[in-house]
Amino acid sequence: MMLDDQGVTDEWIVRVQGTEYGPANIETLREWKAEGRLLPVNDARRADVDLWTTAAEIPGLFSMPPVVPIAELLPRQTPIPVARRTFAEILTETLQIYRKGFFQFLGLTLLVLLPSICSQLTTAFVKPSQASNVDMVSVLAAGFAFLMFILSIVMWPVYIAGIQILTAEIVRGNRFNLVAVLNEAVRFWPRVATLCIFVYGVFALLTLFGLFIALISLAGASAVLLILVAMGLLILQVWMFGRFFVNVLFWQQFPVLENAGFIDSLRESRDLARSGRGLPWFQRPMWRGAFIASIWFALVLAITLATQWEMLQHYFSEVLKTQDLQTLLQQMTEAQQAKGFDIPGFALGALKEILRPLLGIAFVVLYLDSKLESPSDVEPIVRAGEGDAVR
């Protein structure tokens, strides 16, 4: 305060473009400032001091009262927790989305289901000739069935991308058209196809690893050491399978909904799946994804048992009676051929594929819910915003 009083009562000399003006008191200097004749960068000194500074250093002339950030003027507010869906709400919303876009989801399903049906029907009703001569009809049928199988695989990435896009459009309340969804889904084919090869390939290798462990167990049924080794490998296989499943929990969402690349999709899928550590365990994306996959697995298992129950009973009885593995495989093959085309099994298999979009929809809803900020994530964001306001 003493400095301000002294600055008001002292007289100053200023130098503008080499010419000195003054002595002048603070009121005169303010007039010069208002007229634009005096700038903060002009040289200035007190009349009784030979040390030059700048006009900006004259107390009370250019200095302004400190600006109080608006964030400090506003009352401190407690961050509002983000409302997350409960698991029941995720399932309910999944069913609502499927019902609302049923025909569009059915159209996407037919992309892979129709070629698969054509392949199955061709294989079932066109039998190869038993004669030594080559049957042209059988060759053409086999070629057609193979082409339909390849077409079904080729359309699979479009089917996956289409489910992501269509579900997101329904959630946002936008109008959707199947043709537009397909055109958009085709753009993601290379990326989704590459991820399909990687993800399904790793799962296949882990499954083969499990079969290898089963063979070790059968071969070492009388050796305690081999049994222990098989048990250790089985634990390792289950751990690897579960860890990889968690890491690729959202591998279908990020390349399509976030337009992420191959590596980014896998990395962000892993990070999102392992997020929510401040939430109760049953609200974390990892466990919710496991619950959704378990529900779908139980549904698939129920459909499989319903269609193959009699055949499985027959296989089980043959296993108990036959010790020779080659003979057992031959008997199972003969029983399958004797059964012929299983219409109920075929119908239930088609029903399973029609319901499969429910799995993709559920994971999209889970993805959107998991992207919401948890209450523990809001506070740092609010503080960062306040810091930006201060700066």
Side-chain angles (χ1 to χ4, degrees):
M1 192 67 184
M2 293 177 60
L3 181 61
D4 290 341
D5 291 341
Q6 186 179 10
V8 171
T9 57
D10 282 345
E11 292 186 333
W12 295 77
I13 296 176
V14 297
R15 185 163 56 196
V16 179
Q17 296 181 351
T19 303
E20 296 183 6
Y21 300 90
N25 59 21
I26 191 66
E27 296 300 331
T28 303
L29 294 176
R30 286 173 178 168
E31 291 177 5
W32 292 352
K33 168 193 168 186
E35 295 170 359
R37 297 164 56 188
L38 182 62
L39 302 176
V41 296
N42 295 141
D43 295 332
R45 66 176 177 86
R46 286 191 178 93
D48 56 348
V49 178
D50 293 334
L51 180 62
W52 289 91
T53 59
T54 60
E57 300 295 330
I58 301 176
L61 182 59
F62 287 99
S63 60
M64 299 294 294
V67 178
V68 180
I70 189 172
E72 295 184 8
L73 298 176
L74 297 176
R76 196 75 139 164
Q77 297 181 355
T78 303
I80 301 175
V82 179
R84 288 180 175 271
R85 299 172 178 87
T86 64
F87 189 73
E89 289 173 342
I90 290 178
L91 297 182
T92 301
E93 187 171 352
T94 297
L95 294 174
Q96 292 174 347
I97 292 172
Y98 182 71
R99 177 183 59 81
K100 188 172 183 179
F102 173 77
F103 291 105
Q104 285 75 19
F105 286 115
L106 179 62
L108 290 172
T109 302
L110 291 178
L111 291 177
V112 294
L113 182 58
L114 283 180
S116 177
I117 289 176
C118 292
S119 178
Q120 294 179 46
L121 292 178
T122 303
T123 304
F125 290 103
V126 180
K127 301 295 183 181
S129 176
Q130 301 296 328
S132 57
N133 296 331
V134 177
D135 184 3
M136 186 59 63
V137 175
S138 299
V139 172
L140 293 176
F144 177 76
F146 179 74
L147 289 177
M148 290 296 100
F149 173 73
I150 296 299
L151 179 60
S152 178
I153 294 177
V154 170
M155 297 305 297
W156 187 258
V158 179
Y159 167 74
I160 290 177
I163 288 179
Q164 317 305 309
I165 297 170
L166 182 57
T167 302
E169 290 298 309
I170 295 176
V171 170
R172 294 172 185 142
N174 297 336
R175 299 183 63 181
F176 47 87
N177 179 275
L178 181 58
V179 176
V181 170
L182 288 176
N183 290 334
E184 186 71 14
V186 169
R187 295 196 307 108
F188 297 98
W189 189 93
R191 187 181 307 159
V192 176
T194 305
L195 283 165
C196 282
I197 295 172
F198 174 75
V199 173
Y200 294 144
V202 172
F203 276 126
L205 291 176
L206 291 173
T207 303
L208 291 176
F209 185 43
L211 294 176
F212 174 72
I213 296 171
L215 292 176
I216 293 178
S217 302
L218 292 175
S222 58
V224 177
L225 181 59
L226 282 178
I227 293 177
L228 293 176
V229 171
M231 291 179 62
L233 291 176
L234 179 61
I235 294 174
L236 176 62
Q237 191 264 353
V238 171
W239 178 82
M240 293 171 60
F241 195 96
R243 187 176 180 84
F244 185 72
F245 169 79
V246 171
N247 288 341
V248 298
L249 198 62
F250 298 106
W251 75 270
Q252 297 182 4
Q253 284 72 57
F254 277 103
V256 179
L257 301 181
E258 296 286 344
N259 199 23
F262 178 86
I263 300 299
D264 290 337
S265 296
L266 296 176
R267 182 178 61 252
E268 294 181 25
S269 172
R270 178 201 60 195
D271 294 342
L272 184 59
R274 298 179 181 277
S275 64
R277 297 187 181 275
L279 299 171
W281 68 270
F282 54 86
Q283 292 184 3
R284 299 175 188 173
M286 176 175 62
W287 291 104
R288 287 186 167 188
F291 291 153
I292 291 173
S294 299
I295 292 173
W296 175 252
F297 177 78
L299 177 62
V300 172
L301 183 62
I303 293 177
T304 303
L305 290 177
T307 57
Q308 303 294 332
W309 181 249
E310 293 183 0
M311 185 63 64
L312 291 174
Q313 283 183 318
H314 176 72
Y315 288 165
F316 184 72
S317 63
E318 293 295 330
V319 168
L320 294 179
K321 293 187 299 183
T322 307
Q323 300 296 327
D324 184 26
L325 181 61
Q326 183 176 357
T327 303
L328 177 63
L329 293 176
Q330 183 178 357
Q331 291 176 350
M332 289 181 176
T333 302
E334 292 175 354
Q336 184 67 34
Q337 292 176 350
K339 184 179 180 181
F341 183 69
D342 184 11
I343 296 179
F346 175 80
L348 287 176
L351 175 63
K352 180 187 70 176
E353 296 304 319
I354 293 174
L355 295 177
R356 187 183 291 276
L358 286 169
L359 179 63
I361 297 170
F363 269 97
V364 173
V365 176
L366 174 61
Y367 160 80
L368 296 174
D369 184 80
S370 301
K371 292 284 285 185
L372 295 174
E373 297 163 0
S374 63
S376 61
D377 297 333
V378 176
E379 182 66 21
I381 294 175
V382 173
R383 288 179 179 171
E386 293 174 356
D388 293 339
V390 173
R391 288 193 293 272

